[in-house]
Every structure is written in structure tokens, then in C-alpha cells.
Amino acid sequence: MACISLSLHRDQVCCACSYKEKKLNRFIKPDYLNEYNDGKDYTPSYNIAPTDITPILISASKFKNAAQTSRIIKPMMWGIIPPWHKGDYKKHNLSTNNCRIENIKSSKLYNPIFRDGGRCIILVEGFYEWQTSEKTKNKQPYYIYMKQHPNLKVTDQTTWSNKFNENEGWTGIKLMHIAGLYHVWRDENVIIYSYSVITMESNETLSWLHHRMPAILNNEIEINAWLDIDNVNADMALEYLKSMHILEWHPVSTMVNNSKNKSADCNKIINREKAKSSQKTLTSWFTTNKRKLSEYEEKESKKVKL
């Protein structure tokens, strides 16, 4: 998983993560506990890349003095900073955007974090994946997201009601809850919360697209178990991570290939056949002009020799 989309503002994210406490017969919103993160903060975007800051859902177990709710949201940087790293956090030289579920227990980096209750949930509207099953030079990106209410279109925010009340909870876009691991890195006066996305082998739903997929939590039971670091031990929590089958997707423009492109156009549906035709035309144009340039250079070279 290389890029994600989350366009909701901070307060909306809290509403979208509302849940029912066992003792209360109403929906409550998790507290949002801000974090300095070296001056970086969450900015809503349709194309969020590693090292960007996103809202992460965690248990409030380690923050009881700061939170009024059992779940909290904290902004964190995508890509765990190794606990042993010193100095510039941008220069640890490890690829920590994704964490393979098969390697968690044997990992020098992830296993201690996992055993210490560093379980978290990455909140997204959807994620982008590039098709690797087809051996082509230009890989087609797709946008993958949860199945929504019949009248809600993920690419049209005018169809999102985005409303919250204590009786019904959130009625807007259904967010995807992806299991991950997080760590609090400290070095001198710098404190940064960072996370990694847990991935697993793709099932038949997405194997046509890519051989890996994120570990998506399917329902409130799985979400609660993954977050409950006090009552659900690490090994038991891992058993709740299963590959998601009910997902939706569509092809999108290659503009998402550049993380500088953040607009709503990133997740818009495209006609793949037209995109292929356009790509062929562009490739043909470059090939033809390259050939003409080579012929011109050859002629000019002969003139110089004369």
C-alpha cells in the first residue's frame, strides 16, 4: 500500500469513528489528542504518502490522564521510526511504511512494539494500489474502498451526509479501518508518533491487482479486539486479522503517481480503455519524435565531418 486518501477534517474523523461504550446506550466520539510531531500536522488530502501525518485510532489505556474516552485519535507520521535510531528521524534508512503480518513475531523492530501494546488503526476513505499482475511498463493505479450506502458515491462529496448524533452515530462515508503498529520515538527534545501498516497476502478479491493487501478490520468486534490492549493479548489479537472480501474499486488517473497531486481528481473514475489509448498515443508521439531527432542529429553529424 503506497498511498491513501482521507479528505475529512479532524472533527469529522472523530465523528466517523464514533462508537458505543458498554455502559452507555449512545454513540460517543473519541477524543482527539494533538501531538507536535516536529511541527507536522494532519492535512486532509486525496493523496497521502509515507512521511505524511494522518489521524490514528488507538486505545486510551496509556493516556488515561489526558483522555475522557476509552479510544482516542492521535496524529502520527506514516513510517515507524526505529526505537534505536538517533539523530535526524528522516535518515534511519529503513523501509517501515508497511509491516508484513508473517514477520511481526520474528521482527527485531515490530515484535517488541507489538508485545508492548503498540496496536493502532489507520483511518482512510480508501487506498491506491498499482496493478502488478499485468506485465506492463505503465502500471494502472486503482482506488480501493469500503462498500458504501446505496446513495453514497465515494467520488462525489455532495452525496456524503456526514452527520453525527448520539442516537444514530455517523451517517456519512464509511471509513476503512486498517490494522497497524505505532511507536513513540524520542530523541532529545523531539517526540514523534509514527506507525506502520500491516499487510498480508491478497485473497481472491484483490489478487488480480496485487499480491499484498492491508489488514482491514471488518466490524466493531474486530476493531474493539485490536484496540483492547488490556484484555486481548498480542497473539489473540493477531487472530482477528483476516483478509477483507467485500471491497469496491475503480481505475484512476496516473496523476496519483505523484504525491504532490493532492486534489479530488486523484480518486475520480477514469475510462481505462481511453487511458490506454491516450498512453499509446503519447508513447507513439515520443517514439516518432525521438526517431526524427536521431535522424536530424545524424545528418548534422555528417555535415560537420564534411
Side-chain angles (χ1 to χ4, degrees):
M1 194 174 81
C3 294
I4 61 178
S5 174
L6 186 62
S7 63
L8 296 180
H9 294 285
R10 189 176 83 175
D11 293 341
Q12 292 176 319
V13 174
C14 291
C15 291
C17 294
S18 59
Y19 63 103
K20 279 189 175 182
E21 288 277 19
K22 293 180 180 178
K23 298 179 181 179
L24 300 174
N25 190 29
R26 59 184 176 85
F27 285 91
I28 60 173
K29 298 179 289 184
D31 287 346
Y32 192 103
L33 301 186
N34 218 335
E35 187 57 45
Y36 183 63
N37 286 326
D38 198 30
K40 301 174 70 175
D41 201 358
Y42 164 61
T43 301
S45 169
Y46 292 90
N47 191 9
I48 297 171
T51 73
D52 285 341
I53 303 291
T54 73
I56 301 298
L57 185 65
I58 59 175
S59 166
S61 178
K62 297 181 179 181
F63 304 86
K64 290 178 179 177
N65 294 330
Q68 301 298 316
T69 53
S70 62
R71 298 177 185 178
I72 61 172
I73 293 176
K74 285 192 76 69
M76 301 188 192
M77 185 181 77
W78 186 1
I80 278 184
I81 305 169
W84 58 80
H85 179 71
K86 300 296 180 183
D88 190 342
Y89 65 89
K90 302 173 187 174
K91 297 180 179 179
H92 58 77
N93 297 324
L94 290 179
S95 178
T96 60
N97 307 330
N98 299 327
C99 164
R100 286 175 171 259
I101 192 171
E102 303 90 339
N103 301 338
I104 289 178
K105 292 183 179 181
S106 60
S107 171
K108 176 185 174 183
L109 170 60
Y110 295 116
N111 190 51
I113 294 173
F114 177 56
R115 297 293 172 189
D116 192 39
R119 306 197 303 254
C120 69
I121 294 177
I122 297 93
L123 307 165
V124 305
E125 290 160 8
F127 67 94
Y128 300 97
E129 195 56 84
W130 283 256
Q131 188 168 18
T132 58
S133 57
E134 290 186 4
K135 302 301 179 182
T136 57
K137 185 177 180 180
N138 300 299
K139 292 180 172 56
Q140 174 62 47
Y142 282 80
Y143 185 55
I144 300 101
Y145 45 93
M146 301 294 288
K147 186 176 178 61
Q148 302 292 330
H149 304 299
N151 297 326
L152 190 149
K153 296 180 180 179
V154 294
T155 57
D156 182 4
Q157 283 204 2
T158 62
T159 65
W160 304 5
S161 62
N162 287 356
K163 295 178 181 178
F164 168 81
N165 64 65
E166 293 182 344
N167 295 322
E168 298 179 7
W170 173 253
T171 60
I173 186 171
K174 184 178 181 181
L175 296 184
M176 185 179 289
H177 293 67
I178 301 174
L181 297 174
Y182 81 96
H183 172 68
V184 186
W185 180 80
R186 297 176 175 88
D187 186 49
E188 296 182 354
N189 296 323
V190 180
I191 299 176
I192 296 180
Y193 283 70
S194 57
Y195 69 90
S196 295
V197 173
I198 296 177
T199 66
M200 56 178 53
E201 284 288 331
S202 284
N203 58 25
E204 63 275 14
T205 302
L206 288 182
S207 59
W208 62 271
L209 175 63
H210 197 277
H211 67 287
R212 304 292 296 181
M213 67 185 294
I216 304 167
L217 298 162
N218 190 33
N219 52 52
E220 183 60 27
I221 293 174
E222 294 178 1
I223 291 171
N224 188 62
W226 187 251
L227 291 177
D228 192 357
I229 59 176
D230 293 324
N231 301 301
V232 180
N233 67 45
D235 292 326
M236 189 183 299
L238 214 54
E239 295 298 317
Y240 282 91
L241 303 188
K242 309 292 182 183
S243 56
M244 171 72 80
H245 289 268
I246 304 174
L247 294 169
E248 297 187 347
W249 58 82
H250 59 254
V252 296
S253 167
T254 52
M255 71 178 294
V256 76
N257 294 5
N258 187 339
S259 60
K260 292 181 179 179
N261 296 326
K262 305 288 189 182
S263 73
D265 292 330
C266 287
N267 69 7
K268 291 291 187 289
I269 301 172
I270 63 162
N271 184 313
R272 195 179 174 193
E273 293 306 314
K274 285 185 178 180
K276 282 184 175 180
S277 176
S278 175
Q279 183 62 45
K280 287 180 180 178
T281 303
L282 189 61
T283 302
S284 175
W285 185 88
F286 276 115
T287 302
T288 302
N289 281 275
K290 185 178 181 181
R291 186 166 54 247
K292 288 180 179 179
L293 181 59
S294 296
E295 291 172 355
Y296 172 78
E297 288 174 341
E298 184 179 352
K299 288 179 182 179
E300 290 299 307
S301 176
K302 288 179 180 179
K303 287 181 182 180
V304 171
K305 288 179 182 180
L306 291 174

